[in-house]
Amino acid sequence: MHTETHTGLDSPRGNWWKPAHKTEKVWVGIAFGWCMVLFAMMPLWHWKGGQNPSGIRRRVEPTAFFARTEEFIKQYKVGDDRGLPIVQPPPGADVYLTAMAFQWRPILKLQKGAQYTLHLSSLDVNHGFSLFPINVNFQVVPGYDYGLRVRPNASGDFRIMCNEFCGIGHHTMVGRVIVDDAPAVATTGGAR
Ligand code: CUA
C-alpha cells in the first residue's frame, strides 16, 4: 500500500496561485493610502493638535530635583494637610512637584488663569501624572525634569492619580492640586 506524504516543504497541490483580483488590489491600495495618512498625522498632530506638551526637558539627578522641591516648599509654604506641605507659588513661578513611592510632594495651590512652569520628576521609579477629573496625563521619569507650561483654566480641588504601576502602594498614590479663582480686581474710580 502506498501512502502519499505531503510536508510543508512541498508546494500545495492544485491551482492555489492566482493573480490578485482587482478588488483585492484596490483594497491594498486603500489600506496603504490610509497608512500614509496616519503616518503623516503623527508629526502633524504634534504641532497642530495642541495635545503634546512641548515643554522643557533636561536631565537631572533625582536627589538634586528633590532638594530643589524642598527649597521650593520652604519658599512658598502656606500650610499643611496631614503632614504634607501646601505650597502657594506666585503666578509665573517655577513649580516643583516630586513623585515618589507613594506620594506626590507637595500639595500645590495655584491661581486660575495664571501661568506656571510645572516641573515634574520622580525620586525613584516611573510614575504617571494624571489629573482628575480632567484628562491630563504625563509620564514622570526619574532622572528627567519635565517643565510644562500650564495655565489652570478651572478652579477646584483636583486629585493627581498615579497611572503608572509603581509598586505595592500604587493605588494609594494620590496627590492634590487646589486651584483658586483669581482675586477680584479692585475697581478704579471708587473712593476719592
Ligand atoms: Cu506611582 Cu503608581
Side-chain angles (χ1 to χ4, degrees), residues 100-102 104 126-128 162-167 169-171 173:
M100 69 192 86
F102 300 99
W104 298 92
N126 252 44
H127 297 279
C162 182
N163 64 7
E164 193 67 49
F165 185 74
C166 54
H170 161 71
H171 62 289
M173 190 167 162

Side-chain angles (χ1 to χ4, degrees), residues 60-74 96 98 123:
V60 69
E61 271 301 309
T63 48
F65 187 89
F66 183 65
R68 184 67 190 86
T69 305
E70 289 303 304
E71 201 182 299
F72 164 74
I73 292 168
K74 218 175 279 170
Y96 292 83
T98 296
L123 186 59

Side-chain angles (χ1 to χ4, degrees), residues 121-179:
S121 195
S122 164
L123 186 59
D124 38 46
V125 294
N126 252 44
H127 297 279
F129 177 96
S130 179
L131 193 64
F132 268 63
I134 292 162
N135 188 18
V136 173
N137 288 285
F138 208 77
Q139 284 282 317
V140 184
V141 184
Y144 286 91
D145 171 354
Y146 288 97
L148 307 172
R149 286 179 198 91
V150 296
R151 190 188 290 277
N153 59 5
S155 53
D157 197 338
F158 302 97
R159 294 291 175 272
I160 309 164
M161 308 282 212
C162 182
N163 64 7
E164 193 67 49
F165 185 74
C166 54
I168 198 80
H170 161 71
H171 62 289
T172 66
M173 190 167 162
V174 181
R176 198 174 162 202
V177 179
I178 305 154
V179 179

